[in-house]
Structures are given as C-alpha cells and as structure tokens.
Amino acid sequence: DIVMTQSPDSLAVSLGERATINCKSSQSIFRSSYNKYSLAWYQQKPGQSPKLLIYWASTRASGVPDRFSGGGSGTDFTLTISSLQAEDVAVYSCHQYYSPPYTFGQGTKLEIK
Amino acid sequence: EVQLLESAGGLVQPGGSLRLSCATSGFTFSDSWMTWVRQAPGMGLEWVANIQGDGSAKTYAGSVEGRFTISRDNAKNSLYLQMNSLRVEDTAVYYCARSAWALDSWGQGTLVTVSS
C-alpha cells in the first residue's frame, strides 16, 4: 500500500498569513497517461463532511477560493493557503488515487494563532 | 445538484452485520465510480472500497476485504455496503462519495458503532 504522510500534524497560523501543509507519498503517484500526479486535498470543517479542494495535485475544484493552491512533484506535495481566513480552520487531508487502496494522509489540523 | 444521502447506521454487536445504503441524485449514477470512506472517532479518513459504474470492478482495503461487500443498483441510483463480521475497530462514520478520480462529492456520513 502507498503510505501518505502529512506534516505537521497541527499548525497554528495568524490571520492573513500563509499556511503550508506537506504530504509525502511512499512511492511515485505520477499517472503517466495523464501526465499528472494522482493527488487530492480535502478540507473537513468540524462536524462536516470532507470537501474536495485540489485534484491532480494542483487543480482547484469548482468554487474553491484562489488563496488555496497545490503543488509539488516526485513524492512531495504541498497545500498552501496564501492568506489565512477564519473560515479556513479545518482538518486538511491529502489522498492518493494512483493505486488501490487509495490511501489518505493522517490529516493536519489548522488553527488560528 | 449532486446529492448523496447515506442511510442510518446504528449500534451493532461484535460479529454482527449491517447494510448501509447511499441514495444519489443529480448526476448520471451508472457512469460514476463510487467509493466508501470511513472515519473512526477523532481519527483520519480511511478509504474502504470502490466500485465501477457498471459494477464489474470492485476494490477493497485490506482491513475489510472478505468481510465487507460493496454493490450498487443503477436502476435505483443507489450504492450499498454490506458489512459482516463487524469488529469494534469498524466503529466509524461511513461516507459514500462519488469518484471522479478524486472524491468530488460526499454524503453527510452515518455513524456505525460496534460494541457489546
């Protein structure tokens, strides 16, 4: 199974500041037929279902604010929130859909400092 | 609008069985891969199983293989998860999700508690 490891486990950032969450896959998740990395990011606010933010490592899902961006290559990926807003308090999880079982990272809890 | 609605979960004794349903609307169900994901209390997300649009391909997490069965009824736009030989560690909120490679739409989740 592909292991997805996020860092840090928790993060506190001041409003308006940048937040960066890391995700490392235990092996390549590059889908050559699409020339893209099979990686997604989800946001889960307290008491809610997860919401897709980013897919193919860097494509924002419909309606996601442009302060959210995804990047990375190889086996290292990042989710960046350029200017943290109060409504961004949530747990963020990465997810590989390259090879079943399609594993998730353990989640990163983002809070306001 | 895409909608996914899981049936009520419940309390089950260890070794027992439970069948979850997920009713869908707002998209062409038969064209869509579908997935079950679970989340134990206070824990992260765990991918459980998925199924191809025509039901011909299914994949399971190792932790549930041989105990859980994913299925679908395209005439009813519904997804199912039959859970047998339930263990305490299967206690979780279970989500159904539409898989367009990534999981782009999720249900609200249903709590399954396995306890004596």
Side-chain angles (χ1 to χ4, degrees), chain A residues 31 34 40 42 44 48-50 52 55-56 93 95 97 100-106, chain B residues 37 39 43-47 50 59-62 95 101-104 106-109:
Chain A
R31 190 171 298 275
Y34 281 69
Y42 303 89
Q44 188 175 23
Q48 296 186 14
S49 304
L52 177 65
Y55 58 99
W56 296 125
S93 300
H95 169 223
Y97 48 94
Y102 298 123
T103 43
F104 290 87
Q106 79 276 18
Chain B
V37 174
Q39 186 170 35
M43 301 296 285
L45 300 168
E46 181 185 12
W47 184 91
N50 73 353
T59 314
Y60 297 91
Y95 297 98
W101 290 112
L103 305 178
D104 66 354
W106 296 65
Q108 86 288 350

Side-chain angles (χ1 to χ4, degrees), chain A residues 5-60:
Chain A
T5 304
Q6 290 181 230
S7 62
D9 289 334
S10 64
L11 180 63
V13 174
S14 301
L15 290 173
E17 295 299 305
R18 178 185 298 261
T20 300
I21 298 170
N22 304 294
C23 177
K24 185 175 184 66
S25 60
S26 62
Q27 64 189 74
S28 174
I29 54 173
F30 184 74
R31 190 171 298 275
S32 55
S33 57
Y34 281 69
N35 197 34
K36 295 177 185 292
Y37 290 97
S38 300
L39 184 101
W41 289 95
Y42 303 89
Q43 176 193 63
Q44 188 175 23
K45 296 182 179 181
Q48 296 186 14
S49 304
K51 171 189 172 184
L52 177 65
L53 291 178
I54 302 284
Y55 58 99
W56 296 125
S58 61
T59 302
R60 269 190 303 276

